[in-house]
Amino acid sequence: MRRLFDTLIAAYGPQHWWPAHSVEEMMIGAILVQNTSWQQVAQVIARLKQEQLLAMAPLRQLPAAAWWQRLRPVGFFRVKQQRLKALADFMAAYDDQTEALFQLDTLSLRQQLLAVPGIGKETADAILCYGAHRPLFVVDAYAKRLFSRLGWCTTASDYDSIQQLVHRALPADPDLLGELHALIVEHGKNHCRKQPVCIGCPLLFCPAYER
Ligand code: SF4
């Protein structure tokens, strides 16, 4: 795992995630990016920022229909509006103060986030790692695909077992775990795609590379 990290960072450099100017923006982005690419999300975030709507209060106050057109570029816009509203309702209990929410210990915080409709393990751990700076590795489709090709898990492995694989191998360092996730995404876009582009792949230790 350490060799994977060292190789990827040498190949792609630091990724500077999460690309957000505030924790609130990061949390909203984590929901918007579900099942879509960051390009679409960045476009929507820029517009919301321009309209001064990138905050929890407007998500509660504006009617759903007012959001649909704005969220359309990220896909599943009705579902995502409901999820953002659920997140904003949840944050109301903390006066929209992420500092207050992040007073909770990691386990309680994770449980609370997972209880919000539309927040699954991947989104919760992204908020925990990049927003609350907790040492949790975010497992996504890119990580699962890469690790299974490296022979470290199977395509049937579940979220928790893949996460444990990383947590056992690396120090509990949010910066390190966050960087690894970002690097795996970058690698998944450049080389380890659904149809892998193994020529030029920096991971010379991958069994598929030799083939
Ligand atoms: S060698 Fe191919 S399968 Fe292995 S990590 Fe690189 S791109 Fe993915």
Side-chain angles (χ1 to χ4, degrees), residues 146 149 187 191-192 196-198 201 203 206 208-209:
L146 174 61
R149 286 174 178 168
H187 183 60
H191 283 285
C192 214
V197 182
C198 300
C201 174
L203 301 182
C206 176
Y209 191 92

Side-chain angles (χ1 to χ4, degrees), residues 31-37 67-68 71-84:
I31 288 182
L32 291 177
V33 81
Q34 292 172 346
N35 301 308
T36 193
S37 73
W67 288 102
W68 292 341
L71 301 183
R72 192 178 285 272
V74 297
F76 309 101
F77 57 91
R78 285 189 174 83
V79 172
K80 288 185 181 175
Q81 180 273 325
Q82 287 169 353
R83 291 179 177 180
L84 288 171

Side-chain angles (χ1 to χ4, degrees), residues 90-193:
F90 166 71
M91 285 304 298
Y94 294 92
D95 294 326
D96 293 344
Q97 300 299 310
T98 50
E99 299 84 0
L101 173 67
F102 294 165
Q103 295 291 319
L104 295 171
D105 65 82
T106 301
L107 190 61
S108 309
L109 181 51
R110 192 170 193 261
Q111 281 170 345
Q112 290 227 11
L113 288 170
L114 288 172
V116 178
I119 295 190
K121 290 177 180 176
E122 185 180 333
T123 304
D125 289 342
I127 293 170
L128 282 156
C129 181
Y130 297 104
H133 206 239
R134 306 297 169 89
L136 288 170
F137 177 72
V138 182
V139 180
D140 66 355
Y142 290 113
K144 191 171 189 176
R145 188 161 71 209
L146 174 61
F147 291 176
S148 65
R149 286 174 178 168
L150 289 170
W152 297 351
C153 73
T154 71
T155 50
S157 297
D158 64 14
Y159 188 100
D160 295 342
S161 64
I162 295 173
Q163 189 180 53
Q164 282 306 313
L165 194 74
V166 178
H167 288 180
R168 276 197 300 269
L170 294 176
D173 175 354
D175 294 330
L176 178 72
L177 298 174
E179 190 68 61
L180 177 62
H181 170 69
L183 286 164
I184 289 172
V185 172
E186 188 61 20
H187 183 60
K189 288 189 208 158
N190 282 279
H191 283 285
C192 214
R193 303 175 186 167

